[in-house]
Amino acid sequence: MARIVICEFMDERAVARLEAAHEVLYDPQLVGDATRLRAEAAKADALVVRNLTQVRGELLAALTRCKVVGRLGVGLDNIDVPACEAKGIKVIPATGANALSVAEYVIASTMLLLRGAFASSAAVAAGEWPRAALGNGRETAGQTLGIIGFGSIGQTTARLARGLGMQVIAYDAMLAPDAPLFAQAGVRHAGLDELISNADAVTLHVPLVDTTRGLFNAARIGQMKKGAVLINTSRGHIVDVAAVSAALRSGQLGGAAIDVFDVEPLPASAALQSCPNLLLTPHISGVSMQSNERVSFMIADKVMESLK
């Protein structure tokens, strides 16, 4: 019987599946106690984390008997994967399990921002009637969605967008322009600059690496179509949020939805407060009742398989 430490939230039915076969410590608050986490990690054969746990440095050094790290999500920037592999630790992400949740968030945000009419409840309830101001919103059908990063989330987003009648163009630095995947998805490949300058909405689905850090700075946002919308559900540091705020206030951007930030939780920001046409959410695009279940059971099963 192996010992499994789970230091962030996980579907409790998936936890119970692990407990039926192994000794399990499940404490969603453990990530906030670095000293105790290191002590428990030293006794772990498997560690299960989300995005807050930094599996590197002292914590990684404490994993002296660990065989596998399960990641309840897909991004791996909080895990030193090469260092884990050098220690013989297998790193397992929940690839594809939260793709639908993120894709639905992207499509919903796109529709909200293009239409621009869904923040009027307080005004209407107060007796105002901003019909003229809100009557120029854009329908989603016929608009062009640009997807940067065409993995499982990007592909799922494309499928939903095409179902709404959107034109979809996509770019992925890891795929050749003539990769069959684009045609199979009914998507046209576009170069990065072409995509940015032609899309009515741009959504980001790339990992945080050297080539994507600062990808959407003020200059790149300035290359977007005037009035286009930008959605980031990938990672902080990819988008300059201060530049987004400035572009929203100037009208260069028609809207933005930001779910991920350089520092989380996001500190109070004067640049973002009272910013028009801005949706901010606390890193939840990939977290829904259903996706949490899919992610949790996928990782539970894969961790148990790796411990055999």
Side-chain angles (χ1 to χ4, degrees):
M1 179 179 291
R3 188 168 193 274
I4 302 171
V5 173
I6 308 166
C7 60
E8 297 186 62
F9 76 90
M10 187 176 187
D11 186 283
E12 293 194 1
R13 292 165 297 173
V15 174
R17 177 176 290 185
L18 291 171
E19 289 174 334
H22 298 285
E23 177 188 350
V24 176
L25 170 63
Y26 175 51
D27 182 354
Q29 306 306 316
L30 185 56
V31 63
D33 187 340
T35 301
R36 181 171 168 241
L37 176 56
R38 288 195 297 271
E40 297 294 348
K43 300 177 284 184
D45 298 293
L47 178 67
V48 178
V49 306
R50 282 192 181 266
N51 65 297
L52 293 179
T53 309
Q54 299 297 310
V55 186
R56 53 172 48 88
E58 293 183 355
L59 177 57
L60 181 55
L63 294 173
T64 54
R65 59 186 256 188
C66 186
K67 300 179 180 66
V68 58
V69 173
R71 166 70 168 94
L72 295 164
V74 295
L76 296 175
D77 50 288
N78 61 311
I79 301 173
D80 188 339
V81 176
C84 285
E85 293 175 344
K87 295 185 65 168
I89 299 172
K90 185 177 182 180
V91 177
I92 303 175
T95 303
N98 66 353
L100 182 59
S101 179
V102 178
E104 287 191 351
Y105 175 102
V106 170
I107 295 301
S109 298
T110 300
M111 297 180 77
L112 285 167
L113 293 168
L114 287 174
R115 191 64 181 267
F118 300 101
S120 61
S121 296
V124 173
E128 300 176 30
W129 199 248
R131 191 167 187 261
L134 299 178
N136 294 316
R138 291 165 284 178
E139 296 177 352
T140 307
Q143 301 294 303
T144 297
L145 178 65
I147 301 175
I148 300 177
F150 207 57
S152 61
I153 295 174
Q155 293 166 44
T156 304
T157 302
R159 175 172 58 83
L160 298 185
R162 292 184 67 240
L164 290 170
M166 298 190 80
Q167 304 298 315
V168 182
I169 55 178
Y171 168 81
D172 192 307
M174 303 303 292
L175 294 173
D178 59 351
L181 186 59
F182 295 112
Q184 291 166 2
V187 169
R188 183 175 69 82
H189 174 272
L192 182 59
D193 290 336
E194 178 192 357
L195 183 151
I196 290 169
S197 61
N198 284 280
D200 298 292
V202 175
T203 179
L204 306 177
H205 302 288
V206 295
L208 178 61
V209 294
D210 289 343
T211 54
T212 62
R213 187 178 295 272
L215 181 66
F216 267 73
N217 53 21
R220 192 151 266 142
I221 292 171
Q223 294 173 356
M224 296 175 67
K225 289 176 68 173
K226 185 175 177 63
V229 304
L230 175 64
I231 301 162
N232 185 22
T233 59
S234 50
R235 282 294 181 267
H237 297 287
I238 293 173
V239 170
D240 183 337
V241 177
V244 168
S245 174
L248 288 168
R249 295 181 192 278
S250 72
Q252 167 61 24
L253 274 180
I258 308 294
D259 185 53
V260 288
F261 303 91
D262 297 359
V263 177
E264 296 181 356
L266 175 69
S269 169
L272 298 179
Q273 291 175 7
S274 302
C275 190
N277 304 318
L278 177 63
L279 300 175
L280 300 177
T281 50
H283 204 146
I284 49 77
S285 62
V287 183
S288 64
M289 183 185 300
Q290 294 90 342
S291 73
N292 184 45
E293 179 179 338
R294 291 192 298 269
V295 165
S296 297
F297 277 96
M298 175 185 285
I299 292 304
D301 290 344
K302 289 190 173 184
V303 164
M304 286 194 295
E305 182 179 343
S306 295
L307 290 173
K308 288 180 180 178

